Amino acid sequence: MFSVDKQSLQSLSALALFTFAFLGSEFFFDSRIGLLISAEGVVGAQAMILGASVVGFLAYAPISKLAGGRRALRAVEAVGAIAALVTIAVVESALAMQIAGCIAFFLLGSLGAEAHWSMARAFEGSPSLAKGAGAAYAAGILLQFLSNQFVPAGMADAAVLCVGVAALAVFAAAGEHDGETTGQAAADSSQQSAPGGAKTAIRAVWLLALVVLLACMFSTLNNVVTLANTQGSISVETWPRLFLAASGLAAGVLFDIRERRYMGFIMFAVTVLSTISILAVEAGASPVIGLIVFYVSSGFFVTFFTATFLQ
């Protein structure tokens, strides 16, 4: 069963809003810059903003340490991300749009790290960690799907994303401890886990290697989908996207069986299925088939690395 205390609800809301804001902003950026450059160029432009989000995610810890863990930092990041999204909506230069995109996703990466940190604290030791990760992801996907269906493209779309980013900052900062409390908690945790430090480090290295390997696989699928969407052969806004939400929820339920002992085996099966779909699309199969398999496998992948990383 889910824990329903205030901190758990705040962390779930923050992670769901991050999923909505991140994926919605990515699609918005792709759509806007696709009007100015080729379909192949969109794939490269998308890779740059995703790389910026990784840098932002990793920068969260040193930035928060220097800022003393102050909630005001989240507000500054949200304002910066909103300004960058508005810039993407109004400029007509591909270079300016690319720069604004990198800034927006760097800041979204940092806000996302705060959301994940909040989730890790709220669900520490919980037997429903994977269910929580899957539910948050599914909620974010549903928000994005509804936005794509009912919000007109253009400034209205940008406005909804800006509201999502603002809400993300509010929920991400809601459960944030002050710098002293967070620092003391980290020190206490370090002292308690010192005897198993070497074992934990080895596990972390293996987890990193696994996530890198799986990320390469799913990045390839994502590039195929992005290219096909930009060329107009498929649309990522339509009903197949609901498979993302459904697979995220299913993955959470399956992964939590017997304290997440079968996650590795399940992900191996999903990765094999994804590999087959890549080969099938490259061999001439319908891109819609690849899109559905991509969505199903992506829901499992996101829930897998989120739950494992948080744990």
Side-chain angles (χ1 to χ4, degrees):
M1 297 293 293
F2 281 119
S3 173
V4 292
D5 59 73
K6 183 179 179 181
Q7 186 181 17
S8 297
L9 289 175
Q10 287 175 341
S11 66
L12 283 170
S13 299
L15 198 57
L17 286 165
F18 168 69
T19 300
F20 164 70
F22 187 92
L23 295 180
S25 297
E26 179 188 1
F27 178 75
F28 179 67
F29 173 83
D30 288 350
S31 299
R32 286 288 298 146
I33 203 167
L35 300 174
L36 304 175
I37 61 177
S38 67
E40 291 76 10
V42 172
V43 175
Q46 181 191 69
M48 291 183 67
I49 63 170
L50 295 181
S53 73
V54 173
V55 176
F57 195 96
L58 295 176
Y60 162 74
I63 290 175
S64 296
K65 184 176 181 180
L66 290 173
R70 292 174 297 188
R71 290 185 176 92
L73 176 62
R74 306 283 84 84
V76 172
E77 290 176 334
V79 170
I82 289 171
L85 286 173
V86 172
T87 301
I88 293 171
V90 299
V91 298
E92 297 298 333
S93 164
L95 177 59
M97 200 176 293
Q98 184 72 73
I99 294 172
C102 288
I103 293 173
F105 277 80
F106 173 86
L107 297 171
L108 281 174
S110 182
L111 285 168
E114 171 64 30
H116 282 80
W117 172 231
S118 173
M119 182 90 171
R121 291 200 313 269
F123 281 78
E124 183 177 6
S126 170
S128 299
L129 177 61
K131 292 188 188 75
Y137 182 67
I141 292 297
L142 288 175
L143 284 174
Q144 188 201 6
F145 180 79
L146 292 174
S147 177
N148 288 340
Q149 295 302 309
F150 299 109
V151 178
M155 289 304 299
D157 192 14
V160 170
L161 290 173
C162 290
V163 171
V165 171
L168 165 61
V170 170
F171 280 96
E176 183 179 341
H177 296 178
D178 57 69
E180 182 179 351
T181 303
T182 303
Q184 185 60 47
D188 292 342
S189 176
S190 177
Q191 291 175 1
Q192 293 171 0
S193 62
K199 183 178 180 180
T200 302
I202 293 174
R203 182 180 181 185
V205 171
W206 277 109
L207 173 61
L208 177 63
L210 178 60
V211 170
V212 168
L213 179 63
L214 290 173
C216 289
M217 172 68 66
F218 286 93
S219 293
T220 302
L221 272 170
N222 186 57
N223 287 341
V224 171
V225 170
T226 299
L227 182 62
N229 178 71
T230 306
Q231 292 174 337
S233 56
I234 61 172
S235 175
V236 298
E237 302 176 75
T238 50
W239 62 266
R241 195 163 187 80
L242 294 175
F243 279 98
L244 266 175
S247 63
L249 288 172
V253 173
L254 293 174
F255 287 160
D256 273 338
I257 294 175
R258 298 195 64 183
E259 299 180 349
R260 296 183 285 279
R261 294 182 183 179
Y262 303 124
M263 280 205 304
F265 174 77
I266 295 171
M267 276 310 303
F268 172 77
V270 171
T271 303
V272 170
L273 178 63
S274 302
T275 303
I276 293 174
S277 73
I278 293 176
L279 295 176
V281 172
E282 290 298 323
S286 171
V288 176
I289 296 176
L291 182 65
I292 293 174
V293 174
F294 170 68
Y295 283 154
V296 171
S297 56
S298 290
F300 274 82
F301 173 53
V302 171
T303 304
F304 168 78
F305 82 68
T306 300
T308 308
F309 178 65
L310 295 180
Q311 180 182 10

